[in-house]
Amino acid sequence: MGKTLYLECYSGISGDMTVAALLDLGADREVLEKTLESLGVSGFRTEISRVKKSGLDACDFAVILDEAHENHDHDMEYLHGHVHRERHEQPEHERHGEYHDYEYPEHVRHGEAHAHDHLSAEHVHGAEHHHDHEVERHHGTETHGHHHEHRGLKEIREILLASSMTERAKKTALSVFEILAAAEAKAHGVPVEQVHFHEVGAVDSIVDVAAAAICLDNLDVTEVIVPKLCEGTGTVRCQHGILPVPVPAVANIVEQNQLNLKITNVKGELVTPTGAAITAAVRTSDTLPDRFTIEKTGLGAGKRQYDCPGFLRAMIIRREGVPGKGQAAEGHIQKTAETDSGRAREEGGTSDRDRICRLETDIDDCTGENLGLVMEKLFAAGAREVHYTPIFMKKNRPAYELSVICDPDNIRRMEEIIFRETTTIGIRRTLMERTVLKRRQENIQTPLGQAAVKICVLPDGREVCYPEYESVQSLAAAGDLSFQETYRQIQNSWDRER
């Protein structure tokens, strides 16, 4: 059974903070590094270390670009008008990541990224901080003698799909980039297909996003709760002037995905576009359970120095009443259900009370044939009910909401089928009490032949007969009658037998 992750974003969120927090929670470092090697992009290495943030021990994740791709970070004094430590006073892992992460696409340099046009190529750090010389490349003029490839969503999708990432991790990473591209396209008034990521920026962007997806998959996180994103105030300087915080890309992601944003008194940018996009892609709820236990906590360090703790706290939590390690949650739920149902029967009522589970997931990239097969397999595995509801998801995408009603002890089997047979990466689970009429199955003789019926006892003690579909269909075909006429004749036969 998957885990529930709670992200506490009091100091904002970014790509590298997320990866660091997940590593601190126990995501396998070797799995991460081996999978990143399969991405097929060059010019980087990753560095994982321990740092102090507000006096607390935290994990730090940094993407280090090689000499051919190296771009250095900028002074906080220029960006926000505050003097911080000189570059030579900072440890290496901070020099390679003054800012949260390095995710801004190239076209953002036309007005959104924290770019500083007075700096030369050697002083540009990652995709977040590109300058006029790169804008000139975007318009076809090369000023520094280095060729740089431009990657759009198509190229990034090919990179991710060709990697050894699991299908679930690939889907998560692709969703993040789609959300980023949609936000940037809106900010700059261009179609999504025209959003391109510069070669240097795309490297660390891909690494940050892929690493977060790999770690979430490795931890088997299926539910992510993010009540709110805390953002700072003020402005940031870009090559075409001053922009307010939150920057347009973040504001668009918040708007398009209905994230909860809280503006704090901290001067500076706390939420990066990558951090916001990861949140939008993986969040399944914004409401914490009333009571829960914490199984593990992880701290992911940020790179900027602001008047806040400067880390992302992530927790694996367990709702009260849900068994922890070594216990079968489904069995626990079923035991409770049996107790409740037995109590109703002992009270002598005409109905039983028990519990069932409803599983739900929204799917926008499965074919109709695929979904039809999923329904058949779920019913074959014991689902009580399966249905699809047409919905429209973000970006007005036509999609289907899959709903499955099952016994609590069958949850694991249902989820295994859904994850294996569909493209979903998360399933909502709701335990529900229900009141069920007492019923019994009977076979009765009718003028048309033998028919199976269900006899239900109403709360007032009256009994009603419901012919079973298969019997009605068979007798209707044999007698060349309509379904409705056959149904009525079966009911009339039961009434006469009483």
Side-chain angles (χ1 to χ4, degrees), residues 35-41 149-167 170-171 173-175 177-178 196-197 202 206 210:
T35 309
L36 289 178
E37 289 175 0
S38 74
L39 285 176
V41 295
E149 175 189 358
H150 299 284
R151 291 189 176 107
L153 276 178
K154 179 178 181 292
E155 290 77 17
I156 290 176
R157 184 179 292 108
E158 291 171 351
I159 289 170
L160 295 173
L161 293 179
S163 74
S164 65
M165 295 168 65
T166 66
E167 291 305 312
K170 289 176 183 177
K171 182 175 176 63
L174 285 170
S175 179
F177 272 108
E178 288 170 356
H196 287 80
F197 294 75
I206 292 170

Side-chain angles (χ1 to χ4, degrees), residues 29 48 101 117 249-250 256 269 279 326 338 342 406 436 445 481:
R29 176 173 177 171
I48 301 169
D101 45 14
D117 52 4
V250 170
Q256 293 168 350
E269 180 193 31
T279 302
E338 290 171 352
C406 66
V436 184
Q445 192 62 39
L481 299 172

Side-chain angles (χ1 to χ4, degrees), residues 187-379:
H188 299 282
V190 298
V192 170
E193 57 270 20
Q194 291 184 19
V195 175
H196 287 80
F197 294 75
H198 187 268
E199 180 184 29
V200 175
V203 169
D204 37 30
S205 295
I206 292 170
V207 174
D208 273 343
V209 172
I214 293 164
C215 289
L216 286 165
D217 179 69
N218 182 254
L219 289 171
D220 193 23
V221 171
T222 54
E223 295 182 74
V224 181
I225 301 173
V226 189
K228 60 187 174 184
L229 302 180
C230 290
E231 175 63 292
T233 60
T235 59
V236 290
R237 188 179 308 197
C238 71
Q239 60 191 163
H240 292 298
I242 303 296
L243 290 177
V245 174
V247 295
V250 170
N252 289 340
I253 292 171
V254 169
E255 174 192 345
Q256 293 168 350
N257 298 275
Q258 294 298 288
L259 303 180
N260 296 323
L261 192 67
K262 179 180 179 180
I263 303 300
T264 69
N265 293 324
V266 175
K267 297 296 183 182
E269 180 193 31
L270 303 183
V271 179
T272 69
T274 293
I278 290 173
T279 302
V282 305
R283 184 193 62 159
T284 59
S285 174
D286 58 9
T287 305
L288 278 167
D290 291 336
R291 288 184 288 185
F292 59 89
T293 58
I294 300 173
E295 295 189 341
K296 194 166 185 181
T297 301
L299 295 183
K303 306 298 191 299
R304 300 175 183 175
Q305 302 295 324
Y306 288 137
D307 294 330
C308 59
F311 55 72
L312 172 67
R313 183 157 67 169
M315 307 177 198
I316 297 297
I317 67 171
R318 175 165 50 89
R319 291 175 173 82
E320 187 180 79
V322 178
K325 297 177 182 177
Q327 294 177 281
E330 293 85 349
H332 173 83
I333 297 168
Q334 177 64 14
K335 182 177 180 181
T336 304
E338 290 171 352
T339 301
D340 290 342
S341 180
R343 184 182 303 116
R345 285 191 290 270
E346 290 169 3
E347 291 170 355
T350 58
S351 60
D352 289 341
R353 179 166 59 91
D354 66 5
R355 290 187 182 183
I356 57 171
C357 180
R358 180 169 68 189
L359 304 176
E360 293 180 342
T361 185
D362 300 335
I363 305 171
D364 64 359
D365 53 358
C366 265
T367 65
E369 295 90 342
N370 191 171
L371 295 177
L373 179 61
V374 172
M375 176 180 285
E376 292 178 10
K377 291 191 173 185
L378 289 168
F379 275 126

Side-chain angles (χ1 to χ4, degrees), residues 64-188:
I64 314 300
L65 302 178
D66 65 16
E67 292 184 3
H69 297 81
E70 178 60 86
N71 285 306
H72 301 289
D73 42 283
H74 308 294
D75 295 332
M76 295 285 279
E77 180 178 5
Y78 178 85
L79 185 61
H80 296 293
H82 301 291
V83 178
H84 286 259
R85 288 181 298 173
E86 293 296 328
R87 182 174 172 78
H88 64 81
E89 296 176 333
Q90 296 175 317
E92 181 180 350
H93 73 272
E94 290 189 21
R95 293 200 303 271
H96 286 286
E98 174 80 341
Y99 302 104
H100 281 315
D101 45 14
Y102 333 104
E103 70 281 26
Y104 286 87
E106 180 197 302
H107 70 279
V108 177
R109 295 188 293 276
H110 291 276
E112 180 175 331
H114 304 159
H116 312 295
D117 52 4
H118 66 289
L119 297 176
S120 65
E122 299 83 65
H123 297 93
V124 182
H125 189 106
E128 182 173 355
H129 308 288
H130 293 295
H131 312 292
D132 285 343
H133 68 280
E134 288 174 341
V135 174
E136 291 167 358
R137 292 195 191 101
H138 184 64
H139 290 287
T141 59
E142 182 69 55
T143 61
H144 288 280
H146 296 291
H147 172 70
H148 289 280
E149 175 189 358
H150 299 284
R151 291 189 176 107
L153 276 178
K154 179 178 181 292
E155 290 77 17
I156 290 176
R157 184 179 292 108
E158 291 171 351
I159 289 170
L160 295 173
L161 293 179
S163 74
S164 65
M165 295 168 65
T166 66
E167 291 305 312
R168 182 165 62 167
K170 289 176 183 177
K171 182 175 176 63
T172 300
L174 285 170
S175 179
V176 173
F177 272 108
E178 288 170 356
I179 291 169
L180 271 172
E184 300 291 5
K186 179 179 179 181
H188 299 282

Side-chain angles (χ1 to χ4, degrees), residues 347-469:
E347 291 170 355
T350 58
S351 60
D352 289 341
R353 179 166 59 91
D354 66 5
R355 290 187 182 183
I356 57 171
C357 180
R358 180 169 68 189
L359 304 176
E360 293 180 342
T361 185
D362 300 335
I363 305 171
D364 64 359
D365 53 358
C366 265
T367 65
E369 295 90 342
N370 191 171
L371 295 177
L373 179 61
V374 172
M375 176 180 285
E376 292 178 10
K377 291 191 173 185
L378 289 168
F379 275 126
R384 289 177 174 265
E385 184 55 77
V386 180
H387 64 264
Y388 294 99
T389 304
I391 59 174
F392 285 91
M393 297 176 63
K394 57 180 175 287
K395 307 172 192 173
N396 284 324
R397 291 177 179 169
Y400 289 95
E401 178 183 78
L402 165 63
S403 296
V404 180
I405 304 298
C406 66
D407 294 324
D409 61 353
N410 209 13
I411 293 174
R412 184 183 298 276
R413 177 62 178 149
M414 297 293 106
E415 290 186 337
E416 286 175 351
I417 293 172
I418 295 170
F419 279 129
R420 186 182 69 244
E421 301 293 340
T422 75
T423 54
T424 189
I425 60 173
I427 301 171
R428 300 183 293 275
R429 179 189 303 175
T430 306
L431 292 174
M432 301 181 292
E433 288 189 351
R434 63 173 186 166
T435 302
V436 184
L437 293 176
K438 286 184 178 295
R439 80 284 302 273
R440 65 182 184 275
Q441 294 291 137
E442 290 185 2
N443 289 316
I444 65 171
Q445 192 62 39
T446 77
L448 302 175
Q450 193 175 68
V453 297
K454 183 183 299 176
I455 310 301
C456 297
V457 183
L458 298 176
D460 60 6
R462 291 184 299 114
E463 292 186 340
V464 292
C465 171
Y466 297 107
E468 296 288 5
Y469 169 79

